[in-house]
Amino acid sequence: MGEATTRVMVVDDDAVVRASLCAYLEDEGFGVVCAGDAAEALATLEREAVDVAVVDIRLPGMDGQSLILHASRVRPGTRFLVYTGSVSYELPDSLAGLGMTRENVLQKPARPISLLAEAIRRLAGKRIGVE
Amino acid sequence: MRLKDVTIKSKLYGMTALSAIAMMVVLGLSIWCLETFRVNGPVYRGIVRDKDVVADILPPPLYIVEPYLLVHEAEQTADLESVRAIEGKVAELEAGYRRRWEAWEAQLPADELKALLLERSAQPAEEFFRVAREEYFPARERGDRTAAKAVLAGKLRDAYERHRLAIDRTVAIAADRARGTEVRTAERVRFWVRTMSVVSVAAVAGLTLAGWLLTRHIVRSADVLIRRVDELAAGGGDGAGERVHIDSRDEIGLLAAGINATIERMRGVIQWSRDAEEEATHLRHLLRNIIDSMPSVLVGVDAEARVMQWNREAERVTGVTAAEAMGRELHAILPQLRPQIGLVSAAVADRTVQRDERVAWDRPDGRHISELTVYPLITNGIRGAVVRIDDVTTRVRLEEMMIQSEKMRSIGALAAGIAHEINNPLAGVLQSAQVVLRRISSDLPANRAAAEECGTTVEAVNAYLGRRGIPAMLEGIHSSCERAADIVTNMLSFSRNSGSQVAPHVLADLVDQAVELDRSDYDLRKRQEVREVEVVCEHDRDLPAVPCRASEVQQVVLNLLKNASQAMAARGRRADAPRIVVRTRGDGNGGACIEVEDNGPGMPETVRSRVFEPFFTTKPPQSGSGLGLFIVYCIVTRNHGGRIDVESAEGRGTRFTVTLPLGKES
């Protein structure tokens, strides 16, 4: 595994969602780190790089969108998957400017849950930006 | 001064005076003639006198033949006594002669005849009587007969002869004169008779002519006046008529002038009254127009609610003409207003405006809501009121719609908020359940490693869990969460970006496709509760393409069709076949409409007002989510900036009308 392992960070303030999601992704073979809010997520990114960050939009303190904007500056190679419970979420222009599309958004709860793993693998396989 | 300018009064007085004068002339002449020629009148007496002279003279005593003969008798006798007797007789005759002479002297006018008779004949007579008395009879007394005889043959005879000559002449003259007088008198009488006849005839003719002319003038003028006055009285012609043309200054002229002045004044009055009438008519028409132009039903009623005024809108709305409505009681014409009729008496009694803002009024084209206002008439002592009826159906519907839309917006916001809140815990449960399921399966190497560390096997754990029914419960958790997630997804499916873009679409095509989908869905599921329903499409092919999201509009039509065909189940037994009409048309106001109309059971107002609310359903719990019309509502109003209206009549059916803007999507 090692080199081939895709690194995923899950950012969600809901502990049950975060824990179950991490467990699922670990079971799927991803290298997973968790964060309860944006500050924790940014601190993690300072320490280590991840391939894909799964970000809830509604977060205490800094919201998911701002987190993505910050994170893309801290770790420009990171890809993001918005995973939100909001039913009417539309990608703001700022995120679209990062090259994000509808493929970067997943409605919570993902049904079936395998959609999540598929989306992460798809994003991880993409080459975006320049190192 | 012309004759026609002399007044009739003067003419009549003149005529009367002329008549009197003529009468007097004729009368005077007559009296004078009668007086002149009457018996014992002057002419008569002249003639008689002349004749009397003759008659009086020829016999004695004025003619002295008798004394002359007596003297001759005395001559014949010798007896003295006889002579003396004769002398006495002669003396008597002389006295008689004297008396006659005096009588004629008094009677006769002093003319030739008088001179002849009383002088030329009287002189010899006097001579005779003196000679006889002084010479003859004394000679006889003396007995001197010779002397006596000589006296007789001489002096006496001479005197007698002269006397006789004078008398003869007198008689001749008198006879001539009497004859001449008679002839002249007859001539005079003829002359005067002629004169009087001529004068009388002339007077009568003149007066008659003058009278006739005067009468004709008066009558003709009066006729002209009477004709004009008759025309005026009859109001013939143009009422005021022509002026009377009488060119004189008498009473008729004055009368004509007076009539002309009256005509002038009447013309003025008539013109004034025409002007006034015209103005009144104009004003009446204006008021009528104003009242008729009002979009409200305006009815004037008296205190007993009898109709006095009925405007065009009232005619249009009720189908009752003003002529039919006049004088009838308002609630007899509009029985639906019977409960409100008390407002009229209240308005009249209290002089206050009365109002009923919601009067239901079932008309052939459906139920209308009217606002009824009663204004008391408080001017000029009129007791009554004006009833104004405004059709506020549209306004009320609009208000309802606004309330509805407000309600739906808050419900929508609430639902979205709840969905967000639910989705997180749902994700937690669902993900956890799935993770649990995966972690008890034998597929994952980590599971085996963990089981080994615990001194057991995955298989043993699974056998235990299977015994206790755990996997089934986990499946239960999973499927329950799936259902919950389905509900949330459905509820908010309209707001999820469906991916289809707003583009111009022909509504008729979208509708046809939706109807086809509905049909295959029906064939597939063979819904038992729904009887065979005929679906008819009526399309306005001229309708331009409408900017919309095709899939959403199709979902709208599908949901409405589903709703309609499910409603048919409660339709009951009816003569007409169940039928749904789907119609596309312009709304005439920059919008396009899709109508879905059924002839189902319809719905009461309580249902109609809540029909778009989420989870509001009248169907049995299993047959529907109660979200179909809510989704329709949200797609139409929120996603397309359109409008949806629902009209329903119980027992007749329901019609949903979706109106989408033809212009740029809002």
Side-chain angles (χ1 to χ4, degrees):
Chain A
M1 310 255 279
E3 299 274 320
T5 305
T6 300
R7 301 282 301 164
V8 178
M9 179 171 69
V10 173
V11 189
D12 202 312
D13 61 325
D14 187 314
V16 177
V17 173
R18 190 173 65 239
S20 60
L21 197 51
C22 287
Y24 166 72
L25 292 175
E26 279 167 8
D27 289 350
E28 285 291 319
F30 295 107
V32 182
V33 288
C34 290
D37 56 34
E40 195 183 339
L42 285 173
T44 304
L45 283 179
E46 294 287 345
R47 276 197 317 274
E48 52 182 311
V50 297
D51 297 301
V52 177
V54 178
V55 182
D56 186 16
I57 291 299
R58 202 177 63 177
L59 292 171
M62 185 187 288
D63 70 3
Q65 280 161 200
S66 305
L67 167 63
I68 291 170
L69 288 173
H70 276 88
S72 66
R73 278 200 291 276
V74 174
R75 296 279 178 188
T78 315
R79 275 135 284 182
F80 300 93
L81 178 66
V82 173
Y83 186 48
T84 175
S86 170
V87 290
S88 53
Y89 181 76
E90 301 268 348
L91 271 181
D93 291 346
S94 54
L95 297 193
L98 295 177
M100 292 174 68
T101 65
R102 287 175 49 76
E103 286 190 344
N104 297 68
V105 180
L106 198 59
Q107 170 82 49
K108 191 191 283 182
R111 290 188 296 152
I113 198 165
S114 55
L115 285 177
L116 263 172
E118 287 165 19
I120 289 169
R121 287 199 183 92
R122 195 166 56 240
L123 289 176
K126 277 192 176 175
R127 287 272 167 267
I128 57 161
V130 188
E131 195 73 13
Chain B
M1 192 182 195
R2 298 173 308 171
L3 187 61
K4 59 168 69 169
D5 295 340
V6 177
T7 63
I8 291 171
K9 183 173 72 183
S10 306
K11 282 175 184 165
L12 286 173
Y13 281 144
M15 280 284 295
T16 310
L18 273 176
S19 305
I21 289 166
M23 290 283 284
M24 277 167 65
V25 167
V26 172
L27 207 64
L29 273 172
S30 309
I31 289 170
W32 180 81
C33 285
L34 284 172
E35 188 59 32
T36 304
F37 300 108
R38 73 182 164 90
V39 176
N40 267 334
V43 176
Y44 177 89
R45 273 214 305 275
I47 295 168
V48 167
R49 196 172 52 229
D50 289 347
K51 292 206 169 174
D52 277 0
V53 169
V54 178
D56 205 33
I57 289 169
L58 293 183
L62 206 58
Y63 189 42
I64 58 171
V65 67
E66 199 177 343
Y68 183 61
L69 290 175
L70 278 169
V71 172
H72 273 282
E73 200 185 309
E75 188 62 39
Q76 299 302 315
T77 185
D79 184 21
L80 201 57
E81 280 307 311
S82 297
V83 173
R84 283 180 188 149
I86 288 167
E87 188 183 4
K89 281 186 180 172
V90 170
E92 275 177 33
L93 285 173
E94 187 182 355
Y97 178 84
R98 288 249 161 72
R99 281 199 301 278
R100 290 300 302 158
W101 186 88
E102 280 166 6
W104 282 112
E105 171 66 29
Q107 267 184 33
L108 285 177
D111 58 3
E112 188 192 10
L113 185 74
K114 188 174 185 178
L116 264 175
L117 185 62
L118 297 183
E119 286 171 25
R120 302 240 322 253
S121 79
Q123 241 175 338
E126 285 290 332
E127 180 75 16
F128 177 84
F129 281 122
R130 192 186 56 80
V131 170
R133 194 172 63 238
E134 291 175 358
E135 294 178 23
Y136 181 76
F137 284 110
R140 290 293 305 256
E141 202 62 40
R142 281 178 333 254
D144 185 354
R145 297 205 47 177
T146 315
K149 196 172 175 172
V151 168
L152 179 60
K155 284 184 178 172
L156 283 178
R157 186 181 174 149
D158 178 53
Y160 171 73
E161 284 300 332
R162 279 194 287 133
H163 172 75
R164 226 194 71 187
L165 275 172
I167 286 299
D168 285 347
R169 181 129 178 82
T170 302
V171 166
I173 287 171
D176 273 358
R177 244 175 51 175
R179 204 161 44 244
T181 305
E182 269 182 44
V183 169
R184 274 199 315 279
T185 302
E187 278 176 1
R188 278 175 70 191
V189 166
R190 270 201 304 279
F191 169 77
W192 283 112
V193 165
R194 256 201 316 271
T195 304
M196 274 179 61
S197 302
V198 168
V199 168
S200 301
V201 167
V204 167
L207 284 172
T208 304
L209 181 67
W212 180 73
L213 286 173
L214 183 59
T215 307
R216 195 184 64 160
H217 168 65
I218 293 171
V219 166
R220 279 187 174 176
S221 306
D223 275 354
V224 171
L225 290 181
I226 287 167
R227 263 201 310 279
R228 289 301 307 142
V229 170
D230 279 351
E231 281 178 20
L232 282 182
D238 62 341
E242 293 291 309
R243 289 172 58 85
V244 182
H245 292 293
I246 290 183
D247 176 27
S248 64
R249 288 193 209 150
D250 56 7
E251 285 88 339
I252 298 287
L254 292 173
L255 203 53
I259 287 173
N260 284 339
T262 309
I263 287 173
E264 278 306 316
R265 284 199 56 196
M266 276 176 68
R267 274 184 178 154
V269 169
I270 288 169
Q271 190 56 44
W272 176 84
S273 84
R274 272 185 191 155
D275 289 350
E277 195 180 310
E278 211 167 280
E279 200 179 315
T281 307
H282 176 73
L283 199 62
R284 205 161 51 234
H285 285 165
L286 183 66
L287 286 175
R288 179 85 240 172
N289 261 336
I290 290 172
I291 290 170
D292 279 345
S293 303
M294 291 287 169
S296 309
V297 172
L298 285 180
V299 179
V301 293
D302 63 14
E304 278 73 47
R306 282 190 295 264
V307 173
M308 303 186 294
Q309 173 81 34
W310 190 258
N311 78 341
R312 197 169 294 154
E313 181 67 6
E315 291 185 330
R316 194 187 68 75
V317 168
T318 61
V320 177
T321 66
E324 292 165 343
M326 284 304 167
R328 290 174 62 194
E329 289 178 328
L330 184 57
H331 50 276
I333 305 170
L334 300 172
Q336 56 268 41
L337 291 185
R338 191 173 288 277
Q340 280 78 30
I341 213 70
L343 296 179
V344 172
S345 38
V348 172
D350 303 346
R351 300 193 155 195
T352 52
V353 177
Q354 303 286 323
R355 190 169 276 133
D356 188 336
E357 291 176 351
R358 288 278 197 284
V359 181
W361 187 339
D362 286 315
R363 291 210 219 139
D365 58 340
R367 167 165 289 212
H368 285 243
I369 308 294
S370 296
E371 180 176 305
L372 186 104
T373 317
V374 184
Y375 302 92
L377 290 173
I378 51 178
T379 48
N380 297 340
I382 297 172
R383 275 174 61 76
V386 174
V387 178
R388 195 180 103 191
I389 303 171
D390 290 306
D391 190 341
V392 292
T393 312
T394 313
R395 200 183 77 198
V396 169
R397 293 259 186 277
L398 223 59
E399 282 171 7
E400 284 176 358
M401 257 171 56
M402 282 170 69
I403 293 167
Q404 174 92 337
S405 129
E406 195 59 40
K407 187 174 74 183
M408 295 305 289
R409 196 161 37 236
S410 50
I411 288 174
L414 188 67
I418 288 170
H420 196 175
E421 293 305 325
I422 285 176
N423 278 340
N424 274 307
L426 215 49
V429 176
L430 208 50
Q431 288 168 189
S432 298
Q434 285 195 314
V435 170
V436 168
L437 278 171
R438 281 173 63 89
R439 288 194 173 183
I440 59 174
S441 78
S442 53
D443 302 345
L444 286 181
N447 294 358
R448 294 183 179 280
E452 263 175 52
E453 281 171 24
C454 295
T456 180
T457 62
V458 174
E459 284 73 20
V461 170
N462 266 314
Y464 166 77
L465 291 174
R467 283 262 180 102
R468 301 300 296 154
I470 302 301
M473 285 183 201
L474 284 172
E475 281 300 329
I477 290 172
H478 180 75
S479 64
S480 292
C481 283
E482 285 282 346
R483 245 178 57 214
D486 275 343
I487 290 171
V488 172
T489 304
N490 281 337
M491 183 167 75
L492 300 164
S493 59
F494 60 88
S495 60
R496 194 171 295 136
N497 202 331
S498 63
S500 72
Q501 294 298 306
V502 172
H505 292 283
V506 176
L507 284 188
D509 296 343
L510 297 182
V511 166
D512 286 342
Q513 288 161 17
V515 169
E516 193 50 47
L517 272 170
D518 178 66
R519 188 168 293 140
S520 54
D521 181 48
Y522 174 83
D523 290 342
L524 203 64
R525 290 211 255 160
K526 291 281 180 213
R527 293 186 289 254
Q528 292 301 308
E529 76 274 19
V530 182
R531 282 180 287 170
E532 191 72 45
V533 177
E534 182 191 11
V535 178
V536 181
C537 293
E538 293 176 4
H539 294 307
D540 174 6
R541 293 287 172 191
D542 297 331
L543 197 62
V546 179
C548 60
R549 291 192 177 96
S551 59
E552 292 184 359
V553 170
Q554 284 178 340
Q555 194 189 347
V556 165
V557 177
L558 271 171
N559 285 10
L560 290 176
L561 282 171
K562 193 169 159 190
N563 184 74
S565 55
Q566 285 177 348
M568 292 293 190
R571 195 164 175 270
R573 201 164 288 277
R574 288 235 311 255
D576 51 342
R579 179 181 150 104
I580 297 170
V581 180
V582 187
R583 202 175 283 126
T584 55
R585 61 175 174 85
D587 74 342
N589 195 23
C593 293
I594 303 169
E595 284 179 0
V596 179
E597 183 182 301
D598 67 56
N599 57 356
M603 48 193 167
E605 183 61 26
T606 48
V607 173
R608 195 188 67 80
S609 63
R610 299 187 60 196
V611 80
F612 296 116
E613 289 177 26
F615 310 113
F616 178 81
T617 179
T618 57
K619 291 162 211 149
Q622 299 307 313
S623 58
S625 64
L627 286 171
L629 293 178
F630 172 68
I631 289 165
V632 165
Y633 182 90
C634 292
I635 289 174
V636 171
T637 58
R638 193 190 294 182
N639 294 11
H640 287 85
R643 220 177 73 200
I644 180 158
D645 300 298
V646 55
E647 299 160 81
S648 187
E650 282 186 82
R652 284 213 293 267
T654 302
R655 176 166 60 217
F656 286 90
T657 305
V658 173
T659 308
L660 300 175
L662 275 170
K664 202 166 160 269
E665 189 213 19
S666 56

